[in-house]
Amino acid sequence: FNILWLTGLMSDWKTLQKVFKKQFGSELDHEAVLFLIGIQELGMVKTKFKKQEKMDLMHIALCVILEPYGFYTYTGRDADGWPHFKSLKALPFLVSKQQHRLVTEAIVTYFIKQGLIPDKDQ
């Protein structure tokens, strides 16, 4: 456990929240951010999603953000244009705080790669 890493992660998360607040008028929780990532990765303009589609979008987002960690790999799109992923290895058992930290780190890494927030390591 590295406190400096955690401090940097939380700083990046706060930077990301400022971007969301400017764009959407408020900070977003993890579920809302995952939904946005899912929409972005889907790449389709649609104003309404059914409940199952919303769940699918969040699943897409989790696959995308956890792909760099070796948990998933992109396998292509189906006939309707929805991306699909293959599970490469099971996620480890994590307590709630560990899950939250992993998802936060993966979201921050995703938005650094998207160029929404600066990469402090470069």
Side-chain angles (χ1 to χ4, degrees), residues 12-21 24 26-42 54 57-65 100 102-112 114 116-117:
D12 288 339
W13 179 254
K14 287 178 183 175
T15 299
L16 191 55
Q17 286 295 345
K18 287 177 187 174
V19 172
F20 293 141
K21 190 166 187 167
F24 300 108
S26 65
E27 294 183 355
L28 303 180
D29 64 16
H30 284 76
E31 286 187 7
V33 175
L34 289 172
F35 182 68
L36 287 176
I37 292 171
I39 290 171
Q40 180 167 316
E41 292 299 321
L42 178 61
K54 290 177 183 178
L57 287 167
M58 291 178 69
H59 177 73
I60 289 167
L62 282 171
C63 291
V64 167
I65 67 171
H100 191 264
L102 174 61
V103 171
T104 302
E105 176 185 334
I107 288 171
V108 165
T109 301
Y110 174 85
F111 282 109
I112 288 171
Q114 297 294 314
L116 193 62
I117 57 175

Coordinates of all heavy atoms in Angstrom, one line a residue, residues 12-21 24 26-42 54 57-65 100 102-112 114 116-117:
D12 N -6.0 13.0 -9.1 CA -6.5 12.8 -10.4 C -8.0 12.7 -10.5 O -8.6 13.2 -11.4 CB -5.8 11.6 -11.1 CG -4.3 11.8 -11.4 OD1 -3.9 13.0 -11.5 OD2 -3.6 10.8 -11.6
W13 N -8.5 12.0 -9.5 CA -10.0 11.8 -9.4 C -10.7 13.1 -9.2 O -11.7 13.5 -9.8 CB -10.4 10.8 -8.3 CG -11.8 10.6 -8.2 CD1 -12.6 11.1 -7.2 CD2 -12.7 9.9 -9.0 NE1 -13.9 10.8 -7.4 CE2 -14.0 10.0 -8.5 CE3 -12.5 9.2 -10.2 CZ2 -15.1 9.4 -9.1 CZ3 -13.6 8.6 -10.8 CH2 -14.9 8.7 -10.3
K14 N -10.1 14.0 -8.4 CA -10.6 15.3 -8.1 C -10.5 16.2 -9.4 O -11.5 16.9 -9.7 CB -9.9 16.0 -7.0 CG -10.3 15.4 -5.6 CD -9.6 16.1 -4.5 CE -9.9 15.4 -3.2 NZ -9.2 15.9 -2.0
T15 N -9.4 16.0 -10.1 CA -9.3 16.8 -11.4 C -10.4 16.3 -12.4 O -11.0 17.1 -13.0 CB -7.9 16.5 -12.0 OG1 -6.9 17.0 -11.1 CG2 -7.8 17.2 -13.4
L16 N -10.6 15.0 -12.4 CA -11.7 14.5 -13.3 C -13.0 15.0 -12.9 O -13.9 15.3 -13.7 CB -11.6 12.9 -13.2 CG -12.4 12.2 -14.2 CD1 -12.1 12.6 -15.7 CD2 -12.1 10.7 -14.1
Q17 N -13.3 15.0 -11.6 CA -14.6 15.5 -11.1 C -14.8 17.0 -11.5 O -15.9 17.4 -11.7 CB -14.7 15.3 -9.6 CG -14.9 13.9 -9.2 CD -16.2 13.3 -9.6 OE1 -17.1 14.0 -10.0 NE2 -16.3 12.0 -9.6
K18 N -13.7 17.8 -11.5 CA -13.8 19.2 -11.9 C -14.3 19.3 -13.4 O -15.1 20.1 -13.7 CB -12.5 19.9 -11.7 CG -12.2 20.2 -10.2 CD -10.8 20.9 -10.1 CE -10.4 21.0 -8.7 NZ -9.1 21.5 -8.5
V19 N -13.7 18.4 -14.2 CA -14.1 18.3 -15.6 C -15.6 18.0 -15.7 O -16.3 18.6 -16.5 CB -13.2 17.3 -16.4 CG1 -13.8 17.1 -17.8 CG2 -11.8 17.7 -16.4
F20 N -16.0 17.0 -15.0 CA -17.4 16.6 -15.0 C -18.3 17.7 -14.5 O -19.4 18.0 -15.1 CB -17.7 15.3 -14.2 CG -17.0 14.1 -14.7 CD1 -16.5 13.2 -13.9 CD2 -17.0 13.9 -16.1 CE1 -15.9 12.0 -14.3 CE2 -16.4 12.7 -16.6 CZ -15.8 11.8 -15.7
K21 N -17.9 18.4 -13.4 CA -18.7 19.5 -12.9 C -18.9 20.6 -13.9 O -20.0 21.1 -14.1 CB -18.1 20.0 -11.6 CG -19.1 20.9 -10.9 CD -18.6 21.2 -9.4 CE -19.7 21.9 -8.7 NZ -19.5 22.0 -7.3
F24 N -21.2 18.9 -16.8 CA -22.5 18.4 -16.5 C -23.2 19.1 -15.4 O -24.3 18.8 -15.0 CB -22.4 16.9 -16.1 CG -21.9 16.0 -17.3 CD1 -20.7 15.5 -17.2 CD2 -22.7 15.8 -18.4 CE1 -20.2 14.7 -18.2 CE2 -22.2 15.0 -19.4 CZ -20.9 14.5 -19.3
S26 N -22.4 19.0 -12.2 CA -22.2 18.4 -10.9 C -21.1 17.3 -11.0 O -20.8 16.8 -12.1 CB -23.5 17.8 -10.4 OG -23.9 16.7 -11.2
E27 N -20.6 16.8 -9.9 CA -19.7 15.7 -9.9 C -20.5 14.5 -10.2 O -21.7 14.4 -10.0 CB -19.0 15.6 -8.5 CG -18.1 16.8 -8.3 CD -17.3 16.7 -7.0 OE1 -17.5 15.7 -6.2 OE2 -16.4 17.5 -6.7
L28 N -19.8 13.4 -10.7 CA -20.5 12.2 -11.0 C -19.9 11.0 -10.1 O -18.7 11.0 -9.9 CB -20.2 11.8 -12.5 CG -20.7 12.9 -13.5 CD1 -20.4 12.4 -14.9 CD2 -22.2 13.2 -13.4
D29 N -20.8 10.1 -9.7 CA -20.4 9.0 -9.0 C -19.8 7.9 -10.0 O -19.9 8.1 -11.2 CB -21.5 8.4 -8.1 CG -22.7 7.8 -8.9 OD1 -22.6 7.6 -10.1 OD2 -23.7 7.6 -8.3
H30 N -19.3 6.9 -9.5 CA -18.6 5.8 -10.3 C -19.6 5.3 -11.3 O -19.3 5.0 -12.5 CB -18.0 4.7 -9.4 CG -16.8 5.1 -8.8 ND1 -16.7 5.9 -7.7 CD2 -15.5 4.8 -9.1 CE1 -15.4 6.1 -7.3 NE2 -14.7 5.4 -8.2
E31 N -20.8 5.0 -10.9 CA -21.8 4.4 -11.8 C -22.1 5.3 -13.0 O -22.2 4.9 -14.1 CB -23.1 4.1 -11.1 CG -23.0 2.8 -10.2 CD -24.3 2.4 -9.6 OE1 -25.4 3.0 -9.9 OE2 -24.3 1.5 -8.8
A32 N -22.3 6.6 -12.7 CA -22.5 7.6 -13.8 C -21.3 7.7 -14.7 O -21.5 7.7 -16.0 CB -22.9 8.9 -13.2
V33 N -20.1 7.6 -14.2 CA -18.9 7.7 -15.0 C -18.8 6.4 -15.9 O -18.5 6.5 -17.1 CB -17.7 7.9 -14.2 CG1 -16.4 7.8 -15.0 CG2 -17.7 9.2 -13.4
L34 N -19.1 5.3 -15.3 CA -19.1 4.0 -16.1 C -20.1 4.1 -17.2 O -19.9 3.6 -18.3 CB -19.3 2.8 -15.2 CG -18.2 2.5 -14.2 CD1 -18.6 1.4 -13.3 CD2 -16.9 2.1 -15.0
F35 N -21.3 4.6 -16.9 CA -22.4 4.7 -17.9 C -21.9 5.6 -19.1 O -22.0 5.3 -20.2 CB -23.6 5.3 -17.3 CG -24.8 5.5 -18.2 CD1 -25.4 4.4 -18.8 CD2 -25.2 6.7 -18.6 CE1 -26.5 4.5 -19.6 CE2 -26.3 6.9 -19.5 CZ -26.9 5.8 -20.0
L36 N -21.2 6.7 -18.7 CA -20.7 7.6 -19.8 C -19.6 6.9 -20.6 O -19.5 7.1 -21.8 CB -20.1 8.9 -19.2 CG -21.1 9.9 -18.6 CD1 -20.3 11.0 -18.0 CD2 -21.9 10.4 -19.8
I37 N -18.7 6.2 -19.9 CA -17.7 5.4 -20.7 C -18.3 4.4 -21.6 O -17.9 4.3 -22.8 CB -16.7 4.8 -19.7 CG1 -15.8 5.8 -19.0 CG2 -15.8 3.8 -20.4 CD1 -15.0 5.2 -17.8
G38 N -19.3 3.7 -21.1 CA -20.0 2.8 -21.9 C -20.6 3.4 -23.2 O -20.5 2.9 -24.3
I39 N -21.3 4.6 -23.0 CA -21.9 5.3 -24.1 C -20.8 5.7 -25.1 O -20.9 5.5 -26.3 CB -22.6 6.5 -23.7 CG1 -23.9 6.1 -23.0 CG2 -23.0 7.4 -24.9 CD1 -24.7 7.2 -22.3
Q40 N -19.7 6.2 -24.6 CA -18.6 6.6 -25.5 C -18.0 5.4 -26.2 O -17.7 5.5 -27.5 CB -17.4 7.2 -24.6 CG -16.3 7.7 -25.5 CD -15.3 8.6 -24.7 OE1 -15.8 9.5 -24.0 NE2 -14.0 8.4 -24.9
E41 N -17.8 4.3 -25.6 CA -17.3 3.1 -26.2 C -18.3 2.5 -27.2 O -17.9 1.9 -28.2 CB -16.8 2.1 -25.2 CG -15.7 2.5 -24.4 CD -14.4 2.8 -25.2 OE1 -14.1 2.0 -26.2 OE2 -13.7 3.7 -24.9
L42 N -19.6 2.6 -26.9 CA -20.6 2.1 -27.9 C -20.5 2.9 -29.2 O -20.6 2.4 -30.2 CB -22.0 2.2 -27.2 CG -23.1 1.8 -28.1 CD1 -23.0 0.3 -28.5 CD2 -24.5 2.0 -27.4
K54 N -28.6 -0.1 -20.3 CA -27.8 0.6 -19.3 C -26.9 -0.3 -18.6 O -25.7 0.1 -18.4 CB -28.7 1.4 -18.3 CG -29.5 2.5 -19.0 CD -30.4 3.2 -18.0 CE -31.2 4.3 -18.6 NZ -32.2 4.9 -17.7
L57 N -24.2 -1.2 -21.0 CA -23.2 -0.1 -21.1 C -22.2 -0.1 -20.0 O -21.0 0.1 -20.2 CB -23.9 1.2 -21.3 CG -24.7 1.4 -22.6 CD1 -25.6 2.6 -22.5 CD2 -23.7 1.6 -23.7
M58 N -22.7 -0.3 -18.8 CA -21.8 -0.3 -17.6 C -20.8 -1.5 -17.7 O -19.7 -1.4 -17.3 CB -22.6 -0.2 -16.3 CG -23.3 1.1 -16.2 SD -24.3 1.2 -14.7 CE -23.1 1.2 -13.4
H59 N -21.3 -2.6 -18.2 CA -20.5 -3.8 -18.3 C -19.4 -3.5 -19.4 O -18.2 -3.9 -19.2 CB -21.3 -5.0 -18.7 CG -20.5 -6.2 -19.0 ND1 -19.9 -6.9 -18.0 CD2 -20.1 -6.8 -20.1 CE1 -19.2 -7.9 -18.5 NE2 -19.3 -7.9 -19.8
I60 N -19.8 -2.9 -20.5 CA -18.8 -2.5 -21.5 C -17.7 -1.6 -20.9 O -16.5 -1.8 -21.1 CB -19.5 -1.8 -22.7 CG1 -20.3 -2.8 -23.5 CG2 -18.5 -1.1 -23.6 CD1 -21.3 -2.1 -24.5
A61 N -18.2 -0.7 -20.1 CA -17.2 0.3 -19.5 C -16.2 -0.5 -18.6 O -15.0 -0.3 -18.6 CB -17.9 1.3 -18.7
L62 N -16.8 -1.4 -17.8 CA -15.9 -2.2 -16.9 C -14.9 -3.0 -17.7 O -13.7 -3.1 -17.3 CB -16.7 -3.1 -16.0 CG -17.3 -2.3 -14.8 CD1 -18.3 -3.2 -14.0 CD2 -16.3 -1.8 -13.8
C63 N -15.4 -3.6 -18.7 CA -14.4 -4.4 -19.6 C -13.4 -3.5 -20.2 O -12.2 -3.9 -20.2 CB -15.2 -5.1 -20.7 SG -16.3 -6.4 -20.1
V64 N -13.7 -2.3 -20.7 CA -12.8 -1.4 -21.3 C -11.8 -0.9 -20.3 O -10.5 -1.0 -20.5 CB -13.5 -0.2 -21.9 CG1 -12.5 0.9 -22.3 CG2 -14.3 -0.7 -23.1
I65 N -12.2 -0.5 -19.1 CA -11.3 0.0 -18.1 C -10.4 -1.0 -17.5 O -9.3 -0.8 -17.0 CB -11.9 0.9 -17.1 CG1 -12.8 0.1 -16.1 CG2 -12.7 2.1 -17.7 CD1 -13.4 0.9 -14.9
H100 N -13.4 -0.3 -4.9 CA -13.6 1.2 -5.2 C -12.3 1.7 -5.7 O -12.2 2.5 -6.7 CB -14.1 1.9 -3.9 CG -14.5 3.3 -4.1 ND1 -13.6 4.3 -3.9 CD2 -15.7 3.8 -4.6 CE1 -14.3 5.5 -4.2 NE2 -15.5 5.2 -4.6
L102 N -9.7 0.1 -7.1 CA -9.4 -0.4 -8.5 C -10.2 0.3 -9.5 O -9.7 0.7 -10.6 CB -9.7 -1.9 -8.5 CG -9.5 -2.6 -9.9 CD1 -8.1 -2.4 -10.4 CD2 -9.9 -4.0 -9.8
V103 N -11.5 0.5 -9.3 CA -12.4 1.1 -10.3 C -12.0 2.6 -10.5 O -11.9 3.1 -11.6 CB -13.9 1.0 -10.0 CG1 -14.7 1.8 -10.9 CG2 -14.3 -0.5 -10.1
T104 N -11.7 3.2 -9.4 CA -11.2 4.6 -9.5 C -9.9 4.8 -10.3 O -9.8 5.6 -11.2 CB -11.0 5.2 -8.1 OG1 -12.2 5.1 -7.3 CG2 -10.6 6.7 -8.1
E105 N -9.0 3.9 -10.0 CA -7.7 3.9 -10.7 C -7.9 3.6 -12.2 O -7.4 4.3 -13.1 CB -6.7 2.9 -10.1 CG -5.4 2.8 -10.9 CD -4.6 1.6 -10.4 OE1 -4.7 1.2 -9.2 OE2 -3.7 1.1 -11.2
A106 N -8.8 2.7 -12.5 CA -9.0 2.3 -13.9 C -9.7 3.4 -14.6 O -9.4 3.7 -15.8 CB -9.8 1.0 -13.9
I107 N -10.7 4.1 -14.0 CA -11.4 5.2 -14.6 C -10.4 6.3 -14.9 O -10.4 6.9 -16.0 CB -12.5 5.7 -13.7 CG1 -13.7 4.7 -13.7 CG2 -13.0 7.1 -14.2 CD1 -14.8 5.0 -12.7
V108 N -9.6 6.7 -13.9 CA -8.6 7.7 -14.1 C -7.6 7.4 -15.2 O -7.4 8.2 -16.1 CB -7.8 8.0 -12.7 CG1 -6.6 8.8 -13.0 CG2 -8.7 8.7 -11.7
T109 N -7.1 6.2 -15.2 CA -6.2 5.7 -16.3 C -6.9 5.9 -17.7 O -6.3 6.3 -18.6 CB -5.8 4.3 -16.1 OG1 -5.1 4.3 -14.8 CG2 -4.8 3.8 -17.1
Y110 N -8.2 5.5 -17.8 CA -8.9 5.6 -19.0 C -9.0 7.0 -19.5 O -8.7 7.3 -20.7 CB -10.4 5.0 -18.8 CG -11.3 5.2 -20.0 CD1 -11.3 4.3 -21.0 CD2 -12.1 6.3 -20.1 CE1 -12.1 4.5 -22.1 CE2 -13.0 6.5 -21.2 CZ -13.0 5.6 -22.2 OH -13.8 5.8 -23.3
F111 N -9.3 7.9 -18.6 CA -9.4 9.3 -19.0 C -8.1 10.0 -19.2 O -8.0 11.0 -20.0 CB -10.3 10.1 -18.0 CG -11.8 9.9 -18.2 CD1 -12.5 9.1 -17.3 CD2 -12.4 10.3 -19.3 CE1 -13.8 8.9 -17.5 CE2 -13.8 10.1 -19.6 CZ -14.5 9.3 -18.6
I112 N -7.0 9.5 -18.6 CA -5.7 10.0 -19.0 C -5.4 9.6 -20.4 O -4.9 10.4 -21.2 CB -4.6 9.5 -18.0 CG1 -4.7 10.2 -16.6 CG2 -3.2 9.6 -18.6 CD1 -3.9 9.6 -15.6
Q114 N -7.5 9.0 -22.7 CA -8.4 9.7 -23.6 C -8.0 11.2 -23.7 O -8.5 11.9 -24.6 CB -9.8 9.7 -23.1 CG -10.4 8.3 -23.1 CD -10.6 7.7 -24.4 OE1 -11.1 8.4 -25.4 NE2 -10.2 6.5 -24.6
L116 N -8.3 13.5 -21.4 CA -9.2 14.4 -20.7 C -8.5 15.0 -19.4 O -8.8 16.2 -19.1 CB -10.5 13.7 -20.2 CG -11.6 14.5 -19.7 CD1 -12.1 15.5 -20.8 CD2 -12.8 13.7 -19.2
I117 N -7.6 14.3 -18.9 CA -6.8 14.8 -17.8 C -5.3 14.5 -18.1 O -5.0 13.5 -18.8 CB -7.2 14.3 -16.4 CG1 -7.1 12.7 -16.3 CG2 -8.6 14.7 -16.0 CD1 -7.4 12.2 -14.9

